[in-house]
Amino acid sequence: MHTAELALSLLLVVIIVVSLLSNVLVLICFLYNAEIRKQVPGLFILNLTFCNLLLSASSMPLTLYGVLSNAHPGGQIFCQVVGFLDTFLTTNSMLSMAALSIDRWVAVVFPLSYHSRIRHRDAVIALAYTWMHSLSFSVVAACLSWVGYHQLYASCTLCNGRAVNAKTQFAIYTMVLHSLTFLLVSVVLCVTYLKVLKVARFHCKRIDVITMQTLVLLVDIHPSVRQRCLEEQKRRRQRATRKISTFIGTFVVCFTPYVITRIVELFVTEPFNPYWGVLCKSLAYSKAACDPFVYSLLRHQYRKTCSDIINRLLKRSSQNGAGHQQENGKIGRAKEIVKDGEVEARPTN
């Protein structure tokens, strides 16, 4: 095995483990916390988590097998089913990210009318559209036999037809697919989150004005306190920019190399480096490992839920340990009593 294959295999193993553990943790938090289940974004996060878990359990292990063995994983029908799932789950997860961005845009720009604009019924309709959108492209690819094992990506995914007219149709299909998924979601993410950033900066400026007016009125304030207030202003502005950059940046970094390679592959006859194809596919997979942290686990509500679950488990384990110690103590005292009784009952010479 070459060094590049070993490195890609280790990368895939890390992505699979992190993706499975983090998405399962998000699912546990969703089931544990009733407040999260009541929120409208919770439905989008649940759908995104569901897609990421299935992708981590189906497509990723087969790609790892393809990298390690350089062979076709399973039979043709099995690979077509996995390729169907790969197209469906990837498209569905992208559209779920777009739905989450629209939800946050409405929550920030229209905070007073958010609950009247975004309701659970609206979320269910949006999820139904994401499923229909994803199923339509996946079913078309499966019916036209455009899913199978792709040597460049070492995975069961979309692959070219052999005939010239089939290649033309496949090129049109691929362009439409990525235009209505990757490009559409990229535009939605940029528009919504940049508007959110604009509103956040506006509120930061208002807070900064109030803070500066307060500092001017407080003549006797210590210079260190004034410096801390100014540093907090700077951190507040950077925090908003960092969050928006994370939402948009992770999507672009993870999916752009794969999508560009897919499109360039349609018009270039020279073969690509297979390591580059697997690396692009691994980057696309890594989005499933990033999403739980970007959208869920780094939020205060999920962190608090995780800490509550850990504290509850530790408390239960400590109670069980104390119970075992108490039972062992009772058994030990009973043995001592029995031993003392035997000594007293023993006849003396």
Side-chain angles (χ1 to χ4, degrees):
M1 180 181 292
H2 297 288
T3 305
E5 293 178 352
L6 180 61
L8 290 172
S9 301
L10 292 177
L11 177 62
L12 282 169
V13 169
V14 172
I15 292 173
I16 292 172
V17 173
V18 174
S19 179
L20 287 174
L21 293 179
S22 57
N23 283 285
V24 167
L25 184 58
V26 172
L27 186 60
I28 292 173
C29 291
F30 182 86
L31 296 175
Y32 182 83
N33 194 326
E35 292 297 326
I36 296 177
R37 295 196 300 271
K38 292 179 182 178
Q39 297 173 356
V40 174
L43 295 177
F44 300 132
I45 293 176
L46 180 63
N47 187 64
L48 182 61
T49 303
F50 169 76
C51 294
N52 290 336
L53 278 176
L54 282 182
L55 192 67
S56 304
S58 59
S59 297
M60 294 186 192
L62 292 183
T63 303
L64 178 61
Y65 176 83
V67 173
L68 292 175
S69 62
N70 293 321
H72 191 288
Q76 183 177 1
I77 297 178
F78 175 74
C79 196
Q80 288 178 350
V81 172
V82 175
F84 173 87
L85 286 175
D86 180 75
T87 305
F88 170 75
L89 295 174
T90 304
T91 306
N92 201 340
S93 62
M94 287 186 183
L95 295 175
S96 298
M97 298 172 207
L100 280 170
S101 68
I102 294 173
D103 176 82
R104 297 196 176 186
W105 169 67
V106 175
V108 172
V109 179
F110 308 102
L112 299 180
S113 59
Y114 168 75
H115 293 289
S116 62
R117 291 174 180 265
I118 304 293
R119 293 167 293 184
H120 279 82
R121 183 185 65 183
D122 302 322
V124 172
I125 294 174
L127 288 178
Y129 170 76
T130 61
W131 277 66
M132 292 299 297
H133 186 120
S134 306
L135 277 174
S136 61
F137 282 101
S138 303
V139 169
V140 168
C143 292
L144 296 177
S145 299
W146 286 342
V147 287
Y149 182 72
H150 201 304
Q151 187 68 37
L152 176 61
Y153 306 103
S155 58
C156 297
T157 182
L158 296 174
C159 58
N160 278 324
R162 294 183 179 179
V164 177
N165 58 347
K167 288 185 177 181
T168 303
Q169 294 173 0
F170 180 78
I172 296 173
Y173 168 83
T174 305
M175 296 293 292
V176 173
L177 171 64
H178 292 307
S179 297
L180 294 180
T181 53
F182 173 77
L183 183 60
L184 175 64
V185 174
S186 299
V187 172
V188 171
L189 290 179
C190 292
V191 171
T192 54
Y193 282 129
L194 289 178
K195 286 185 177 294
V196 169
L197 180 60
K198 183 179 179 180
V199 174
R201 286 181 173 177
F202 173 74
H203 288 297
C204 287
K205 288 181 180 179
R206 292 182 60 186
I207 295 173
D208 293 345
V209 170
I210 296 173
T211 303
M212 293 303 298
Q213 291 176 352
T214 305
L215 292 177
V216 170
L217 293 176
L218 297 176
V219 181
D220 298 333
I221 191 172
H222 194 273
S224 62
V225 178
R226 185 187 301 271
Q227 184 64 27
R228 284 200 299 270
C229 293
L230 296 176
E231 291 176 355
E232 179 61 28
Q233 291 180 4
K234 184 178 179 180
R235 284 196 297 269
R236 193 183 300 115
R237 291 191 296 267
Q238 292 176 349
R239 193 182 305 121
T241 305
R242 186 169 57 250
K243 287 183 179 180
I244 300 303
S245 301
T246 302
F247 289 131
I248 300 176
T250 53
F251 181 84
V252 173
V253 170
C254 291
F255 285 116
T256 300
Y258 178 70
V259 173
I260 292 177
T261 304
R262 274 290 190 180
I263 295 175
V264 173
E265 183 188 5
L266 299 173
F267 307 101
V268 176
T269 57
E270 297 180 359
F272 283 84
N273 189 329
Y275 299 138
W276 169 252
V278 176
L279 179 61
C280 292
K281 192 66 174 176
S282 301
L283 282 176
Y285 286 152
S286 66
K287 192 67 173 71
C290 297
D291 286 340
F293 300 98
V294 173
Y295 293 102
S296 304
L297 297 179
L298 295 181
R299 293 174 56 192
H300 173 72
Q301 192 174 24
Y302 281 84
R303 292 203 309 267
K304 187 177 183 301
T305 303
C306 291
S307 63
D308 292 341
I309 294 173
I310 294 173
N311 292 333
R312 186 172 181 179
L313 292 175
L314 292 177
K315 184 178 180 181
R316 183 174 299 176
S317 62
S318 63
Q319 289 178 351
N320 292 335
H324 287 306
Q325 290 180 359
Q326 189 174 4
E327 291 179 359
N328 292 334
K330 290 181 180 179
I331 294 173
R333 286 194 296 272
K335 288 182 178 179
E336 292 178 357
I337 292 172
V338 172
K339 187 176 181 179
D340 292 339
E342 289 179 353
V343 171
E344 291 177 359
R346 188 180 299 167
T348 56
N349 294 328

